[in-house]
């Protein structure tokens, strides 16, 4: 059973081979059998006596990450939606996509998405869910950017990628928090340990992070902006991903985790608020759109907001209504997207201003659209499923009783009004969609093609979905006890809807529905009068502009910052490096009391050493002020020879010897180089730069002095040199201990030091000898 | 005396860093030479100064100076000599190719 999830992914491997045959057989025909067989496999689980099924497959057991397949009512609902609508979408795409398209790519992405989505809804392990969650983001990115030669497609793909991955990562953070708090990675065990999570201090953080993931994926306000831009995808993709499946992943996640959080008051406040606001804003904005798919995109946003709000309510009625509406929305919205695609293909445009009066030209399409839009509007007719769930939605808003803090109580007061307002606009855009395309006068001269009815194969998939709309509408109870009730019980064990009835009597929800239809009708008829309101709200403001500004500014600011410190000047880099060393080391020394000074155990001070030291200091400082090559060379030499004298005084004959020789050779080298180097110039720094340089260098010198004194003043353990002194003769066979160390005890150092010299010599030779320009001249 | 040598090393470090911050390549090289001198003095000081005879074993001597820092410094002197000579040649070639020894003018090409 668990392998059902991977079948699309495995089949995707063979699609490239099959797509070679596309001139003879459309690749989609092969693909069609995959979702169909999954659908048929899972449909047999529908039934009154369904019990959850569990299967485990070990993946990373050491981290507690396993592929725990868990099939309960909610998973079953989503699996059937994914595979069922997947089948129809593949069938539709066979007619929609021409054989000249890159079909192999399309079906590989689509199958990848199918596997990912099946994985999200059927695994019990949060990290497995996260893995598949990101796979849906990636495959959705690929599908939105399918026509990658279009600039808008790339923009939409990037935008959806950035927003959903942002949400996905924060959700990952929330999952990690949950698993750390409760000590388990299984959702069912998390639900068992809900009390630990609810008492944790990290509860708000975990909740917000997870909800961020759910809200971005399900296009909740204000993260909804990616969905309208994702409409650049081919229409089958829009129908599948952006109406029926992927955008419901966030809904699924909230539903899945609501047994943990539902008793937490802020869960109700946050989820309901975002849901209701999304419902109102989405439906309000949908009326403004002129592109058919954009209307449907905002409509999807608004309907998702409604489902999210119901999940937030968490009452028995609300949960059942949410589950019911997930099913209903998938049927009518899928069919509407397919209808929009048909109109696009048959007329050559999706702009509603150019369309009109198509009823006589596309009668079948128009009939399908009629059922879809009227169901979406929630018109009270017994064969439209949208009405039932909307009625339950109104019912659930009225049944809210939240005690507790003021915000929750205030929300309980206003939610029914907002729900009615959102539904009124839903009615308006549904009518606008239907009558804008099919009603009114025909102005076919504006169209690129003369419209004729689509081939029947293209109409069958939306027809099946519309049959679903009608079927659920006429026999809602056929789906209730066997199917929907199990899904609702998975979210809230207490929720069972009882009997779904069309006629409840003249109660408040029905009156609300009548208000929606009445006011909606008036608003639709007077649309041209009040349309100006969109110039005031949102006016010129839009969340897209905010997003674009953020993206642009991230670019500008990071460029500015980088150019500020990566300015190509060596002086700046050295200042930064030395400055950082001084500040960090100094800070640590002060913080930890690292500075110690002790005057015992010091060597005595003699005049001769002092004289040499003073001489070195004078010579060193003079290097700064000398402006002639020769003088600079000589005083640098003085420092070197002074150091060798100090070596001599401090009983280091080998050092003194080496230093003397090397200093002499260095002086010769310097002389040679100076012959060719430009003359030394006067230092020409501006006073502020000079001050900065002085501060940095004096700071570094002072720090090193302090480190030296502190290191000398703290004696942690005896040096190991006695060993060298004792064993130099018996083991090393030499009396000069320094030389024995160099060649015997630590001979490896010497080996590589010789290598360093050799490489330096080679490098010098190459630098002088090899000239690319000279070779080219030859 | 160790404290005085620490201060001496600190002064050389300061002068060296100041030279490193200059624009002319010669001054930067002088800075690196000075920094290695300071480091050598530093290592020598850490091993305690003058606690006996030079570390060459001979009859009747019981106290020697610490031989280990000396071995380390010897290695370091040779390596810094190798680097200095390489840098000098590099500076010479750079000045020859680019007709300048001002580090502020040697910035490479954009997007390089």
């Amino acid at each position: 059973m668990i392998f059902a999830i991977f079948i699309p992914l495995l089949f995707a491997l063979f699609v490239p081979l099959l797509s070679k045959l596309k001139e003879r057989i459309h690749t989609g025909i092969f693909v069609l059998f995959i979702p169909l067989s999954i659908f048929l496999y899972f449909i047999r689980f529908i039934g009154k006596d369904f019990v959850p099924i569990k299967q485990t497959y070990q993946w990373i057991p050491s981290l507690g990450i396993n592929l725990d397949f868990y099939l309960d009512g909610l998973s079953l609902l989503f699996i059937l939606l994914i595979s069922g609508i997947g089948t129809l979408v593949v069938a539709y795409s066979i007619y929609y996509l021409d054989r000249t398209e890159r079909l192999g790519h399309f079906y590989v992405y689509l199958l990848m998405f199918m596997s990912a989505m099946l994985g999200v809804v059927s695994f019990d392990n949060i990290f497995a869910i996260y893995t598949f969650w990101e796979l849906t983001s990636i495959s959705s990115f690929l599908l939105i950017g399918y026509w990658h030669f279009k600039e808008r497609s790339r923009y939409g793909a990037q935008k959806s990628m950035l927003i959903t991955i942002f949400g996905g990562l924060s959700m990952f953070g929330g999952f990690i928090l949950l698993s750390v708090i409760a000590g388990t990675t299984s959702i069912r065990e998390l639900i068992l340990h809900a009390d630990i999570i609810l008492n944790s201090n990290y509860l708000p953080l975990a909740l917000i992070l997870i909800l961020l993931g759910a809200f971005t994926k399900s296009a909740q306000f204000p993260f909804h902006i990616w969905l309208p831009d994702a409409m650049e995808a081919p229409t089958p993709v829009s129908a599948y991903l952006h109406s029926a499946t992927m955008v419901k992943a966030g809904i699924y996640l909230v539903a899945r985790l609501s047994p943990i959080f539902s008793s937490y008051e802020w869960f109700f406040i946050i989820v309901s608020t975002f849901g209701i606001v999304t419902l109102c804003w989405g439906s309000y904005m949908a009326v403004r759109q002129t592109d058919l798919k954009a209307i449907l995109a905002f409509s999807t946003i608004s309907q998702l907001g409604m489902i999210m709000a119901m999940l937030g309510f968490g009452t028995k009625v609300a949960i059942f209504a949410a589950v019911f509406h997930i099913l209903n929305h998938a049927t009518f919205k899928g069919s509407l997207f397919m209808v929009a695609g048909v109109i696009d293909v048959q007329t050559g445009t999706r702009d509603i201003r150019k369309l009109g009066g198509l009823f006589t030209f596309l009668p079948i399409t128009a009939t399908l659209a009629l059922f879809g839009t009227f169901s979406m509007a929630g018109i009270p007719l017994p064969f439209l499923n949208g009405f039932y769930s909307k009625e339950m939605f109104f019912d659930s808003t009225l049944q809210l009783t939240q005690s507790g803090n003021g915000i929750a109580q205030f929300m309980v007061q206003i939610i029914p009004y907002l729900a009615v307002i959102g539904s009124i606009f839903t009615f308006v855009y549904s009518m606008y969609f239907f009558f804008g395309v099919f009603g009114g006068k025909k102005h076919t001269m504006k169209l690129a093609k003369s419209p004729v009815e689509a081939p029947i194969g293209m109409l069958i998939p939306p027809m099946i979905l519309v049959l679903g709309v009608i079927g659920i509408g006429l026999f809602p109870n056929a789906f209730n006890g066997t199917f929907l009730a199990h899904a609702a019980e998975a979210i809230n064990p207490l929720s069972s809807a009882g009997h779904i009835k069309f006629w409840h009597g003249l109660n408040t929800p029905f009156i609300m529905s009548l208000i929606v239809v009445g006011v909606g009708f008036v608003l639709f008829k007077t649309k041209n009068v009040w349309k100006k309101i969109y110039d005031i709200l949102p006016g010129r403001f839009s969340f897209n502009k905010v997003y674009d500004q953020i993206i642009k500014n991230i670019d500008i600011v990071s460029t500015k910052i980088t150019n500020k410190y990566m300015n190509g000047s060596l002086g700046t880099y050295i200042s930064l490096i030395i400055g950082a060393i001084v500040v960090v080391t100094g800070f640590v020394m002060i913080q930890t009391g690292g500075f110690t000074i002790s005057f015992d155990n010091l060597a005595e001070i003699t005049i001769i050493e002092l004289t040499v030291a003073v001489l070195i200091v004078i010579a060193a400082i003079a290097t700064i002020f000398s402006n002639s090559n020769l003088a600079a060379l000589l005083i640098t030499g003085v420092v070197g020879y002074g150091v060798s004298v100090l070596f001599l005084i401090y009983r280091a004959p080998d050092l003194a010897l080496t230093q003397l020789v090397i200093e002499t050779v260095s002086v010769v080298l310097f002389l040679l180089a100076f012959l060719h180097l430009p003359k030394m110039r006067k230092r020409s720094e501006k006073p502020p730069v000079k001050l900065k340089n002085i501060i940095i260098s004096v700071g570094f010198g002072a720090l090193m002095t302090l480190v030296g004194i502190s290191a000398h003043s703290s004696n942690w353990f005896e040096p190991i040199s006695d060993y060298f002194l004792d064993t130099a003769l018996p083991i090393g066979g030499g009396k000069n201990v320094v030389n024995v160390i160099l060649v015997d005890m630590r001979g490896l150092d010497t080996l590589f030091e010789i290598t360093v010299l050799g490489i330096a010599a080679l490098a010098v030779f190459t630098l002088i000898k090899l000239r690319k320009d000279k070779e080219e001249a030859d | 005396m160790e404290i005085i040598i620490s201060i001496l090393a600190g002064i050389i470090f300061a002068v060296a860093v100041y030279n490193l911050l200059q624009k002319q390549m010669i001054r930067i090289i002088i800075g690196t030479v000075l920094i290695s001198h300071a480091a050598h003095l530093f290592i020598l000081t850490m091993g305690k100064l003058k606690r006996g005879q030079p570390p060459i074993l001979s009859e009747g001597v019981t106290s020697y100076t610490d031989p280990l820092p000396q071995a380390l410094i010897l290695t370091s002197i040779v390596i810094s000599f190798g680097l200095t000579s390489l840098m000098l040649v590099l500076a010479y070639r750079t000045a020859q190719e680019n007709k300048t020894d001002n580090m502020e003018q040697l910035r490479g090409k954009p997007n390089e």
Side-chain angles (χ1 to χ4, degrees), chain A residues 567 609 681 721 735, chain B residues 27 50 57 66 93 107:
Chain A
N567 58 1
E609 294 162 51
R681 289 181 305 274
S721 298
K735 289 188 171 173
Chain B
R27 293 192 193 270
K50 264 210 280 197
L57 301 176
D66 195 337
R93 288 282 295 131
R107 280 176 184 242

Side-chain angles (χ1 to χ4, degrees), chain A residues 448-725:
Chain A
K449 294 187 205 166
S450 60
V452 285
E453 188 58 271
I456 191 70
M458 201 168 184
L459 292 173
I460 286 176
M463 247 177 234
I464 294 174
L465 285 171
V466 166
L467 283 179
V469 169
I470 298 168
I472 298 170
L474 288 177
F475 312 105
N477 290 305
F479 295 87
N480 177 9
T482 52
F483 185 34
L484 294 172
H486 292 306
E489 277 163 22
I491 304 173
N492 184 348
L494 298 172
S495 76
S496 58
H499 199 67
I500 307 173
K501 275 182 294 189
F502 174 69
W503 180 249
H504 286 276
L506 196 68
N507 52 7
T508 325
F510 190 72
I511 294 170
M512 285 162 89
S513 282
L514 289 181
I515 294 172
V516 167
V517 174
V519 178
F521 186 73
V522 173
L523 279 181
F524 171 63
K525 279 293 170 194
T526 57
K527 179 167 171 283
N528 290 333
V529 181
W530 57 269
K531 220 164 62 179
K532 291 189 187 71
I533 195 173
Y534 287 104
D535 299 334
I536 304 162
L537 182 81
R540 291 174 60 197
F541 177 80
S542 89
F543 289 98
N544 280 317
K545 279 189 186 153
V546 177
Y547 166 84
D548 289 337
Q549 279 298 319
I550 290 172
I551 296 294
K552 208 173 95 193
N553 282 328
I554 287 175
D555 223 28
I556 293 172
V557 170
S558 57
T559 311
K560 266 188 190 159
I561 292 173
T562 311
N563 285 345
K564 198 86 188 162
Y565 74 92
M566 298 288 282
N567 58 1
S569 154
L570 181 69
T572 315
Y573 302 155
I574 294 184
S575 305
L576 285 175
I577 293 168
I578 303 278
I581 292 173
V582 173
V583 170
V584 172
T585 319
F587 179 76
V588 171
M589 273 182 87
I590 293 167
Q591 272 309 96
T592 56
F595 180 68
T596 49
I597 179 162
S598 75
F599 292 99
D600 47 308
N601 200 15
L602 290 175
E604 61 192 299
I605 302 169
T606 62
I607 294 294
I608 179 151
E609 294 162 51
L610 214 53
T611 321
V612 176
V614 169
L615 216 62
I616 293 177
V617 167
I618 293 169
I621 292 174
T623 56
I624 297 173
F625 295 101
S626 86
N627 291 320
S628 122
N629 282 6
L630 205 59
L633 162 71
L634 288 177
I635 42 185
T636 316
V638 168
V639 178
Y641 291 122
V643 170
S644 79
V645 171
L646 279 182
F647 286 155
L648 203 61
I649 296 170
Y650 294 129
R651 311 274 202 270
D654 297 290
L655 285 189
L657 192 68
T658 318
Q659 179 71 32
L660 213 63
V661 172
I662 281 190
E663 198 57 40
T664 313
V665 180
S666 295
V667 168
V668 174
L669 259 175
F670 266 89
L671 269 175
L672 273 172
F674 282 9
L675 204 63
H676 299 281
L677 278 174
K679 291 278 167 287
M680 258 186 157
R681 289 181 305 274
K682 280 201 164 157
R683 289 169 302 118
S684 54
E685 311 130 285
K686 295 190 187 74
V689 179
K690 202 171 185 176
L691 186 69
K692 182 201 77 180
N693 289 353
I694 290 174
I695 290 173
I696 289 173
S697 42
V698 169
F700 186 67
L703 177 78
M704 292 312 282
T705 306
L706 290 184
V707 170
I709 293 172
S710 309
H712 182 263
S713 302
S714 25
N715 193 2
W716 298 102
F717 39 75
E718 287 302 307
I720 57 167
S721 298
D722 285 341
Y723 171 80
F724 295 120
L725 290 167

Side-chain angles (χ1 to χ4, degrees), chain A residues 130 133-134 137 159-175 208-218 223 226 253:
Chain A
Y130 173 71
W133 182 279
E134 293 296 32
S137 296
K159 191 179 198 175
S160 75
M161 179 83 159
L162 286 177
I163 293 177
T164 53
I165 296 280
F166 160 75
L169 279 177
S170 55
M171 186 187 87
F172 187 45
F175 280 175
I208 287 169
L209 287 175
I210 290 174
L211 287 182
L212 214 52
F215 287 172
T216 49
K217 199 79 165 179
S218 282
F223 307 110
W226 66 266
L253 185 75

Side-chain angles (χ1 to χ4, degrees), chain A residues 253-266:
Chain A
L253 185 75
V254 172
R256 205 19 117 208
L257 296 178
S258 71
I260 303 176
F261 295 116
S262 57
S263 58
Y264 181 49
E265 197 175 38
W266 282 98

Side-chain angles (χ1 to χ4, degrees), chain A residues 333-349:
Chain A
K333 190 54 65 64
S335 69
L336 283 177
F337 266 108
M338 290 177 186
V339 163
V342 169
I343 296 166
D344 188 10
V345 172
Q346 298 303 319
T347 65
T349 184

